[in-house]
Amino acid sequence: MPGEVSYPGDHDAEEVLAEYWEEHAAQGEAWPGPADAAPGAQAPDTVAAGTADALLGDGGPLKDPRLALVPARRSADIPTAIGWTGPADHDGDTARISAVLRSWEDRFGLRLIALGFDHLLVSVAAPPTTLADAEAIAAEHFAFCPDNIHQGTHPTLRAYAEHQVLNQRTWHFWWD
């Protein structure tokens, strides 16, 4: 129901992440702020095409994928344009999700690759190459999708940063 959400450009990604952080972080834990943009990005569309090819290849994780052509100005806006409700328990206004994706698109060369019922997969053209940078981005991931940490295989921000963010060309998010 795309008509029932706001417009991604009406939201400031840092404010959205700070609100999410406040809601999900431990009491008194201050929002660390956004991570710096990563230098040395490869061409985002080239990275996205390679990621999609790898995911669709033999033994890839996407089962019976469907191609979608979506009228959106940028890949970050696709969830909002189609009225996706994957993170409904986290935030009912998908435009706020798209605002964060726009920020990552600008800072890390993110491109949306796949959407499922409650998960989202993106390619990353400029992943963090140091643990400190990965930890800063992991804090954003936690605010954006706390289930990745609370219910994932890496239950601390540091472990999540080391295994899911550092030098990773794909980021996966899922909401329970």
Side-chain angles (χ1 to χ4, degrees), residues 39 48 80 83 112 123 140 149 167 171 174:
T80 303
L112 180 64
S123 66
E140 291 190 41
I149 309 295
N167 294 313
W171 295 342
W174 62 280

Side-chain angles (χ1 to χ4, degrees), residues 19-105:
E19 288 174 29
Y20 290 161
W21 178 272
E22 189 172 304
E23 184 177 335
H24 297 286
Q27 286 287 5
E29 206 172 336
W31 164 238
D36 293 331
Q42 294 183 8
D45 293 334
T46 302
V47 172
T51 300
D53 286 346
L55 292 171
L56 295 171
D58 290 338
L62 298 179
K63 306 297 181 221
D64 298 322
R66 304 289 192 271
L67 178 65
L69 298 175
V70 179
R73 292 185 181 165
R74 47 197 302 182
S75 80
D77 292 351
I78 291 171
T80 303
I82 66 170
W84 183 63
T85 59
D89 290 341
H90 181 61
D91 193 328
D93 186 354
T94 310
R96 291 166 47 89
I97 299 294
S98 287
V100 174
L101 294 175
R102 281 178 167 201
S103 175
W104 291 344
E105 199 174 76

Side-chain angles (χ1 to χ4, degrees), residues 138 141-142 145-157 160-161:
H141 284 200
F142 171 74
C145 182
D147 289 346
N148 274 18
I149 309 295
H150 289 311
Q151 298 177 33
T153 58
H154 305 290
T156 67
L157 282 181
Y160 178 85

